[in-house]
Amino acid sequence: MNCSALLSPILMLVHLWPCSPSTQTHSAQNTDQSFTAVRRVKRGWVWEPLFATEEQTSMVPVYVGQLKSDLDKQDGNLKYILTGEGAGSIFIIDENNGKIYVTQKLDREKKAFYTLRAQAINRSTQLPVEPESEFIIKVRDVNDHEPQFLDGPYVATVPEMSPEGTSVTQVTATDGDDPSYGNSARLLYSLIQGQPYFSVEPKTGRVIRMASQMDRETKDQYLVIIQAKDMVGQTGAFSATATVTINLSDINDNPPKFQQRLYYMSVSEEAPVGTTIGKVFAEDSDIGENAAMNYFIEGDSSDVFDIITNNETQEGIILLKKRVDYESKRRYSIRAKVVNRYIDDRFLKEGPFEDKTIVKINVEDADEPPVFTLENYVMEIAEGAMSGSLVGIVTARDPDDDDCPVRYSIVHGMHLKRLFSINEHNGTIITTKPLDREIASWHNITVTATETRNAEKISEANVYIQVLDVNDHAPEFPKYYETFVCENAVSGQLIQSISAVDQDDSAEGHHFYFSLAQEATNNSRFTVQDNQDNTAGIFTAKSGFRRQEQFSFYLPILILDNGTPPLTSTNTLTITVCDCDTEVNTFYCRYGAFMYAMGLSTEALVAVLACILILLVFFLAIVAIRQQRKKSPFSEKMEEFRENIVRYDDEGGGEEDTEAFDISALRTRTVMRTHKPRKNVTAEIHSLYRQSLQVGPDSTIFRQFISEKLEEANTDPSAPPYDSLQTYAFEGTGSSAGSLSSLGSHSSDADQSYDYLTDWGPPFKQLAGMYTSHRSGGD
């Protein structure tokens, strides 16, 4: 559009420019041919800016403008030619006077201008008198497009109670007309619906809040209709409307309010801690986090009751924080307060965002179990106290008004019942046997109190019994000391450090005193030096020891504790003489002591070990030889194989010989069959063969034979344990050839005649020749 705007003044100043090089060349050649010399004269086009109005419909061409050369003398000698966009179709030119006409309806929104070229030629010479010049015809806009809201409908949100003049949103309409010409595309905005709460800026379309007291709780949504009209709202202008939905967002401008000024609730005295007693609820007209609230309990009642907030329902839930007692207090009055969680400081001047209410809670009486005076009892008794000694007393009472008597008992393992017992009437606990602190210093028992009139009402109490220590254990060595002294040890040499332990407990801490027993004080070769720190050292009193004279020494050591009364014990320390210089090698001394105790020298021990090693090697060799022997592949006895392998010299009867071996050997070895003698298969087959020459399948003899064989197979104990197929030879009657089997021959080959075989054909003729030649050779 900027280019189009600049073209008008440019076209107004345009002059005739020189022709193109080719045209100039062509004109020069023609001039040389026509004239000998021509003086060049400055020429130019003369025309006004050309415009064509869009959307014009006419039966005749509409005049646009006129092109004119300054050489045109109005004598009809010049001819105007028009070329370019739409020339001849949309635009035509009067070739005589250069007037241009438009013949079709134009649409500026489709094409805003057309670029054409004009030329003036001499009708006589057909030569251009003006060079071809380019010009533009602009399409002048008319108001033929309505404004459009392309992004509608619109939705906007603004906080409630916003100050006057707050900008809500901006709507924009577009118009397809030319904004640079006329007022066709100049829009004016106005508000059709939405007064008096909202207004719109006429030129920008910005929606402005007007009223400041817009409460969301009263109305949370407004529908605003905005109109955009072109031609600056003049008569005949086009218009369009858009809908703007304006939602008021919530702010915390309302305090919470309890639904009731007074609530009544009740709770049983049996209710445990944490029991829900009831609920209170405060309403808040706001929504979301602006309606979030917290509940509190004011005053001393907060020690007994508590209140929490249900964040989903915004309810206050009153809970029991401490057990209540009907006999102590039967009614409570608490003050509950609710406060908004998030407060907007702008509205604090309107009052506190909180509310209060009174909750009265009645305690309901219930049959309660007995109550001990203490939840936990701690008692003491000295160890070793006689059976029946008093440990302590537990006391429980029925808190109800009727004060029902109670019965006491111990509910724990049998081992505690064997140690303690309780008087079921007065709760006195005594021992049933003496206690030993060293076995168990504490005993934990559970005592129950049960109402005599209602056995279901039971309560428990823990009783912790400490067994006090009595000095009844003497001190002793903590372990066995393995002590050695070298034969070359010198006098005053430290050979062992000792200590002591005591199973008793001392309030002031243990302190032990070490010394030699009275019987070893005078003639001992060792001394004991007390270090005054519950340890002592054993020193040699003399120099030189001989193992051959005395192998070991037994040193009695007296240990005294600081208990009341003090106890002593005598512990014996065994000192072994070792064959060493002055420093003890524990391993070497242990080995020497072992050898000395066995009465063996080192050489003898080596000999014994060598013998043991030889015997071990010999034993391993025997085991290896036995493992290398091949094991027999058959683990069964030879008699078992004789049952499975049957040897006979008969040629057999082929498939008919079903009893050539004992099949029972294939069965389980535990099933033994009686031996059945083998039949003469050859003779039987011979008889059957002879009979078969005279019988057929329908013969009585043949059927009887089959029945006998079937019966024999069914009753045969050695038959296989599964179905089997038995085949019997039957060649039928009427055979001219007879049987070739040697089983049915009673004569030798020499008595046979094979001449009839030649009649059977060439194959049998060769067979007959073979038998004949065999018989001649035999002769």
Side-chain angles (χ1 to χ4, degrees), residues 256-271:
K257 295 292 182 182
F258 278 106
Q259 290 181 331
Q260 300 174 219
R261 294 290 95 185
L262 185 63
Y263 289 85
Y264 291 95
M265 300 178 185
S266 61
V267 60
S268 173
E269 63 176 342
E270 285 186 324

Side-chain angles (χ1 to χ4, degrees), residues 46-208:
V46 178
W47 67 75
E48 297 292 333
L50 303 178
F51 295 94
T53 304
E54 67 171 338
E55 303 298 336
Q56 284 185 331
T57 57
S58 177
M59 299 301 294
V60 296
V62 179
Y63 175 75
V64 176
Q66 183 179 10
L67 299 179
K68 186 177 181 181
S69 173
D70 57 358
L71 297 179
D72 189 358
K73 298 179 181 181
Q74 302 295 325
D75 55 1
N77 191 35
L78 294 182
K79 178 182 180 181
Y80 294 92
I81 300 175
L82 186 66
T83 60
E85 294 179 336
S89 58
I90 300 176
F91 301 99
I92 60 175
I93 190 171
D94 189 339
E95 61 181 13
N96 295 319
N97 53 25
K99 292 182 179 180
I100 301 175
Y101 300 89
V102 59
T103 62
Q104 298 180 14
K105 185 174 67 173
L106 303 179
D107 189 353
R108 190 201 65 83
E109 285 69 36
K110 292 183 179 179
K111 192 172 181 62
F113 60 91
Y114 293 84
T115 302
L116 296 99
R117 292 180 299 278
Q119 190 176 32
I121 63 175
N122 191 301
R123 291 181 182 272
S124 301
T125 63
Q126 295 298 316
L127 294 176
V129 296
E130 293 287 354
E132 188 178 50
S133 180
E134 184 177 273
F135 64 95
I136 292 176
I137 299 177
K138 290 190 62 177
V139 181
R140 181 169 291 168
D141 183 50
V142 296
N143 189 18
D144 60 343
H145 285 81
E146 298 178 355
Q148 291 182 345
F149 289 95
L150 300 179
D151 298 328
Y154 299 88
V155 178
T157 302
V158 62
E160 63 173 331
M161 307 301 291
S162 295
E164 183 178 353
T166 302
S167 177
V168 179
T169 186
Q170 183 173 355
V171 297
T172 303
T174 60
D175 195 312
D177 295 324
D178 187 3
S180 63
Y181 177 75
N183 296 325
S184 299
R186 295 180 61 185
L187 303 179
L188 189 67
Y189 297 90
S190 61
L191 202 63
I192 297 179
Q193 178 179 322
Q195 299 92 347
Y197 303 105
F198 302 95
S199 65
V200 62
E201 292 183 358
K203 294 183 179 181
T204 63
R206 180 178 299 170
V207 179
I208 304 299

Side-chain angles (χ1 to χ4, degrees), residues 31 83 108 131 142 154-155 174 197 298 300 320 355 398 445 450 508 565 589 622 681 700 725 733 735 748 757 778:
T31 303
T83 60
R108 190 201 65 83
V142 296
Y154 299 88
V155 178
T174 60
Y197 303 105
E298 295 182 333
D300 299 335
L320 186 62
D355 195 18
D398 185 7
I445 64 176
T450 308
E508 301 177 356
C589 292
I622 293 176
V681 180
T700 303
L725 177 64
T733 59
S735 175
S748 64
L757 294 176

Side-chain angles (χ1 to χ4, degrees), residues 44 56 78 108 133 208 214 231 284 295 439 519 605:
Q56 284 185 331
L78 294 182
R108 190 201 65 83
S133 180
I208 304 299
M214 298 182 65
M231 295 186 67
D284 194 325
Y295 293 88
I439 296 177
E519 63 270 15
L605 181 60

Side-chain angles (χ1 to χ4, degrees), residues 389-413:
S389 299
L390 176 64
V391 179
I393 299 175
V394 295
T395 303
R397 56 173 292 273
D398 185 7
D400 299 323
D401 294 337
D402 54 0
D403 194 12
C404 177
V406 298
R407 182 175 61 252
Y408 301 94
S409 63
I410 295 177
V411 286
H412 252 319

